[in-house]
């Protein structure tokens, strides 16, 4: 009689920041996953807007399957609880929030961690497809999902990313393609898209956590490249389907987006491709300012000069080596 191999444990990590309604929708969706062996860690990133109280109220329906603890002082937690709310007093960003939740989750002995945006809903087989792809080869360190637009549920946002190296621009693979035009078979990709991806615990111990200097944006590109440099394979599993509530229309990017995308692109290229820095710095000036003008044309909010100012601040802070959270 063949001995059955136990299913690997998965910690699901999602962050909330002042958007408890989407986070609760995401949690409801995650609880419907067919894969049985998971635990959810939702970290509130210093919202201070009543999010914690609303999520705690939602968690009451789970009874003993839900707990709420302060993230900084969290002791090793029981795997028996299905959902754990981790409360942070300050906004640690995407990098710091995920790193803190990851450190807490790894104390439970999880073999994989699934990082998922709060503004998503998932197909019930999404996690199983990710685990199946990861388990196919011990050198597969990260596996991304197929991300579809929530407002256009048959159109792909991304199945991974590529990089135009000299100028530091990331491009989504298969963006705008119909869902039916992509086969479900896993494919190797150069970069993972941070909306939904599974990470092997051994990779984190080998490569380290997210670089908290990024705070927000480009950090998954950095993590992907660091992993590949250590010999890990990155795959996309189109059978893992996730719908993302990001809009598919133009004109919705915030002013702070232009700060982080400018500063962090320069940081990424400085870390990994320093030889191209003069070209990157010049190219980004034209590309980001052009994006701002196009974005402003489609936007109802005409904040052209404030967006240009934020781009300039991104340059100033990069060359001044000022990273982390924008002040």
């Amino acid at each position: 009689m063949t001995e059955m191999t136990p299913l690997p444990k998965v910690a699901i990590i999602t962050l909330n920041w002042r958007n408890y309604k989407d986070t609760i929708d995401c949690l409801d969706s995650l609880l419907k996953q067919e894969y049985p062996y998971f635990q959810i860690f939702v970290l509130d990133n210093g919202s201070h807007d009543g999010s914690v109280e609303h999520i705690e109220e939602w968690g009451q329906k789970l009874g003993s399957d839900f707990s709420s603890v302060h993230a900084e002082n969290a002791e090793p937690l029981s795997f028996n609880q299905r959902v754990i709310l981790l409360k942070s007093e300050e906004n640690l960003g995407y990098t710091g929030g995920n790193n803190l939740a990851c450190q807490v989750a790894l104390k439970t002995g999880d073999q994989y961690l699934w990082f998922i945006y709060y503004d998503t809903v998932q197909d019930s087989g999404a996690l199983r497809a990710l685990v199946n792809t990861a388990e196919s080869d011990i050198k597969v360190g990260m596996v991304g999902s197929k991300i579809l637009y929530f407002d256009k549920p048959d159109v792909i946002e991304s199945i991974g990313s590529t990089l135009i190296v000299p100028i530091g621009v990331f491009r989504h693979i298969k963006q705008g393609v119909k869902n039916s035009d992509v086969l479900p078979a896993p494919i190797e990709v150069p970069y993972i898209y941070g909306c939904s991806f599974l990470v092997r615990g051994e990779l984190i111990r080998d490569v380290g956590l997210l670089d908290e200097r990024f705070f927000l944006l480009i950090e998954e590109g950095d993590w992907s490249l660091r992993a590949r440099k250590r010999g890990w394979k990155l795959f996309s599993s189109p059978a893992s389907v996730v719908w993302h509530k990001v809009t598919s229309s133009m004109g919705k990017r915030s002013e702070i987006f232009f700060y982080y995308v400018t500063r962090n692109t320069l940081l990424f290229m400085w870390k990994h491709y320093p030889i191209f820095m003069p070209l990157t710095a010049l190219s980004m000036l034209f590309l980001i300012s052009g994006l701002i003008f196009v974005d402003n044309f489609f936007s109802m909010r005409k904040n052209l000069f404030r967006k240009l100012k934020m781009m300039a601040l991104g340059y100033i802070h990069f060359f001044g080596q000022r990273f982390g959270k924008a002040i």
Side-chain angles (χ1 to χ4, degrees):
M1 185 175 180
T2 304
E3 183 179 352
M4 293 185 65
T5 303
L7 293 171
K9 294 166 60 178
V10 179
I12 303 176
I13 294 175
T14 191
L15 306 183
N16 174 75
W17 189 68
R18 300 182 179 179
N19 199 332
Y20 66 88
K21 292 182 179 178
D22 280 340
T23 298
I24 289 173
D25 287 345
C26 178
L27 293 173
D28 282 331
S29 180
L30 289 171
L31 287 172
K32 297 174 184 176
Q33 288 300 301
E34 297 169 357
Y35 188 85
Y37 213 27
F38 68 85
Q39 184 175 37
I40 301 171
F41 295 85
V42 52
L43 183 134
D44 181 75
N45 229 342
S47 296
H48 303 299
D49 68 338
S51 283
V52 166
E53 290 77 13
H54 281 96
I55 295 172
E56 287 176 333
E57 182 180 358
W58 168 88
Q60 290 177 6
K61 70 180 184 180
L62 301 178
S64 61
D65 268 344
F66 176 86
S67 66
S68 177
V69 298
H70 289 283
E72 293 83 355
N73 302 317
E75 297 296 327
L77 301 165
S78 169
F79 190 75
N80 294 327
Q81 290 177 313
R82 204 60 158 167
V83 181
I84 297 173
L85 172 62
L86 303 172
K87 297 176 288 188
S88 173
E89 289 301 315
E90 61 176 310
N91 182 4
L92 303 172
Y94 182 83
T95 54
N98 275 316
N99 282 350
L100 180 56
C102 179
Q103 290 170 314
V104 173
L106 286 174
K107 293 178 183 179
T108 68
D110 299 292
Q111 293 160 270
Y112 291 102
L113 297 99
W114 183 17
F115 297 88
I116 183 82
Y117 283 2
Y118 70 92
D119 57 344
T120 63
V121 293
Q122 313 81 32
D123 179 77
S124 61
L127 179 54
R128 185 181 295 277
L130 292 174
V131 173
N132 288 344
T133 300
E135 288 287 281
S136 67
D137 184 341
I138 61 172
K139 292 306 293 180
V140 173
M142 296 182 178
V143 185
S145 300
K146 177 172 62 178
I147 312 300
L148 306 175
Y149 291 109
F150 187 80
D151 61 351
K152 293 184 178 179
D154 293 324
V155 178
I156 294 174
E157 180 192 0
S158 179
I159 62 168
S161 300
T162 59
L163 175 68
I164 304 174
V165 173
I167 58 177
V169 172
F170 285 92
R171 294 179 62 113
H172 288 311
I173 300 171
K174 302 294 185 181
Q175 185 173 34
V177 174
K178 289 184 178 180
N179 181 31
S180 58
D181 291 340
V182 174
L183 298 175
I187 59 170
E188 193 163 3
V189 295
Y191 295 91
I192 293 295
Y193 177 35
C195 183
S196 169
F197 65 108
L198 190 77
V199 179
R200 192 181 292 269
E202 293 96 314
L203 181 148
I204 297 173
R205 288 183 281 271
D206 178 37
V207 175
L209 295 166
L210 289 161
D211 185 341
E212 296 188 15
R213 290 179 295 176
F214 288 92
F215 191 80
L216 179 70
L217 295 180
I218 320 285
E219 67 289 306
E220 75 267 37
D222 172 69
W223 214 15
S224 296
L225 187 50
R226 286 161 52 201
R228 286 199 288 117
K229 286 179 176 179
R230 295 288 297 173
W232 293 97
K233 298 178 182 178
L234 279 58
F235 271 77
S236 174
S237 177
S240 173
V241 180
V242 171
W243 289 271
H244 188 196
K245 294 180 182 178
V246 65
T247 179
S248 57
S249 63
M250 294 291 290
K252 299 296 184 180
R253 284 175 280 263
S254 66
E255 296 158 27
I256 199 67
F257 165 85
F258 293 102
Y259 168 81
Y260 283 118
V261 76
T262 301
R263 188 199 69 182
N264 290 355
T265 297
L266 295 171
L267 172 58
F268 175 87
M269 294 298 289
W270 176 61
K271 281 187 68 176
H272 299 290
Y273 299 101
I275 192 172
F276 293 114
M277 275 304 298
L279 178 59
T280 301
L282 182 61
S283 299
M284 290 299 293
L285 181 63
F286 290 99
L287 289 170
I288 299 299
S289 59
L291 182 61
I292 289 172
F293 279 99
V294 171
D295 198 72
N296 202 67
F297 178 79
F298 285 97
S299 177
M300 296 297 293
R301 297 173 61 194
K302 304 300 182 181
N303 297 328
L304 176 65
F305 293 106
R306 290 173 65 179
K307 291 175 180 177
L308 290 171
K309 180 181 177 180
M310 294 304 289
M311 178 191 72
L313 191 62
Y315 275 95
I316 292 168
H317 283 185
F318 168 74
F319 287 110
Q321 297 293 283
R322 182 173 172 177
F323 301 116
K325 183 180 181 179
I327 300 175

